[in-house]
Amino acid sequence: MISELPLVSGAFFGLRHDRDSYSYYSKLLANLAEQSGQRLTVFTNEPDRLDPGLNCLHVPSLEPYVRSVWDVDDWKVRYHKALERHKRNLTSAQYLYPDLPAMYLAKVPLMCEAAKTHGACLWIDAGLLFSTHFDHKVPNHDVGYHAESLRGRFFPAAQNLADLSHVFVSHFTRKYKLFRNSVPRFHGSSHRDMDAYAAKLGLVPDMTYVAAGVFYVHASAADSLLNEFRDAWRVLIDMGGIGTEENVLSALRWRHGWPGLGVNEWVEQMVDPRILAYSRG
């Protein structure tokens, strides 16, 4: 076994229809398990779609997890309506596919459940590689995770961070654009919206946002993380804001200073360097 960090992911089908999600997730999850040499636990609504070697946990409905964060009967209607405040949001995936936000809202409760079950949860979004380097597409050439990179770089880096903190993350640069700071660019929220959100929470934002492609939670932090996430989500909604789990986790990172690495840095530690060179032309 390469590492003792419990690997967890999610694959929920039928929530969006703008890509072939069946091959997109099932191929990558099987590849991640094979290359890591570890047991990979996957929360999913369709276990039969995934490789039988995966430890699939059947989640027939995300609704209980959503309601653990936002306990209102009309959350889909309210979410959809909040996106309509700016025309840019009308082309977003979460607006076009109203069931999709359930996956975002449920992710932190699922992470925390896994952490409490296994002692810790190292959540890896199976699509992180393609999302970062292939524009959310499954390319025709052979791609995937890389055993030597995982063993020699990814798991040691993750273990080092786990030794330092009960939560660590992946992140990316929060870009300041003088004349576009009121335009939603982060899951329905603008740069100015996120500044206002931070101020409402009594926080000072830095120049990063959380990307939940790599996210670690130790069991000892699970309850407090879920409670803080629930409270911070309600603040975002009550002030007229909107977003996904990443908007709230960004604010919580500003509060706690969780360590982590940039998305590209994580990906570069997971894959064959030759694939990265190919993807960059």
Side-chain angles (χ1 to χ4, degrees):
M1 183 174 290
I2 297 172
S3 170
E4 296 302 320
L5 295 172
L7 293 187
V8 183
S9 192
F12 291 93
F13 304 108
L15 302 181
R16 63 188 301 170
H17 311 286
D18 57 339
R19 64 187 180 211
D20 182 2
S21 60
Y22 292 110
S23 64
Y24 184 78
Y25 289 111
S26 59
K27 174 182 176 182
L28 283 170
L29 287 163
N31 180 259
L32 175 59
E34 177 186 4
Q35 294 299 312
S36 69
Q38 290 188 232
R39 183 175 175 84
L40 174 60
T41 296
V42 182
F43 292 104
T44 181
N45 59 338
E46 296 189 36
D48 293 343
R49 294 279 186 177
L50 299 176
D51 189 282
L54 299 172
N55 179 32
C56 292
L57 298 182
H58 188 206
V59 180
S61 173
L62 289 170
E63 189 70 17
Y65 294 95
V66 173
R67 295 293 286 264
S68 74
V69 171
W70 194 12
D71 192 13
V72 295
D73 293 334
D74 61 343
W75 71 264
K76 287 185 185 180
V77 174
R78 292 175 62 175
Y79 194 105
H80 208 63
K81 188 70 175 176
L83 287 169
E84 292 177 349
R85 63 185 180 147
H86 197 286
K87 63 181 181 181
R88 181 183 176 90
N89 293 335
L90 304 184
T91 59
S92 67
Q94 63 260 44
Y95 187 82
L96 296 175
Y97 309 107
D99 292 330
L100 182 59
M103 182 174 64
Y104 302 137
L105 291 170
K107 185 181 287 187
V108 169
L110 288 168
M111 289 179 186
C112 292
E113 179 179 306
K116 293 171 73 173
T117 299
H118 300 288
C121 165
L122 179 57
W123 182 283
I124 299 179
D125 181 341
L128 181 65
L129 165 61
F130 293 150
S131 297
T132 304
H133 292 282
F134 296 101
D135 194 27
H136 293 271
K137 298 174 183 176
V138 178
N140 293 325
H141 58 282
D142 187 26
V143 296
Y145 296 92
H146 186 234
E148 292 181 11
S149 297
L150 289 167
R151 181 183 298 109
R153 303 184 65 198
F154 176 75
F155 284 114
Q159 187 62 64
N160 286 340
L161 287 170
D163 290 341
L164 292 173
S165 176
H166 287 173
V167 178
F168 67 75
V169 301
S170 53
H171 52 72
F172 62 97
T173 301
R174 181 177 185 239
K175 296 179 180 178
Y176 179 87
K177 296 190 176 182
L178 181 60
F179 299 109
R180 295 182 62 81
N181 281 346
S182 295
V183 178
R185 301 179 63 85
F186 188 40
H187 306 308
S189 288
S190 69
H191 194 285
R192 187 170 295 173
D193 291 333
M194 290 299 290
D195 280 347
Y197 182 39
K200 190 74 172 179
L201 293 170
L203 307 174
V204 177
D206 64 23
M207 295 309 294
T208 58
Y209 284 139
V210 165
V214 175
F215 201 97
Y216 172 81
V217 184
H218 190 273
S220 61
D223 287 336
S224 61
L225 173 60
L226 183 55
N227 289 335
E228 283 192 85
F229 184 87
R230 181 188 299 114
D231 292 343
W233 173 258
R234 290 170 181 167
V235 170
L236 180 64
I237 293 298
D238 288 346
M239 64 183 286
I242 198 65
T244 68
E245 84 284 1
E246 293 182 340
N247 298 69
V248 178
L249 291 173
S250 296
L252 296 184
R253 180 176 181 272
W254 298 337
R255 174 180 289 166
H256 296 292
W258 294 329
L261 297 175
V263 173
N264 286 323
E265 293 177 88
W266 281 122
V267 172
E268 288 167 2
Q269 296 179 23
M270 296 176 176
V271 301
D272 189 331
R274 293 170 295 181
I275 290 175
L276 293 181
Y278 186 103
S279 71
R280 292 165 181 163

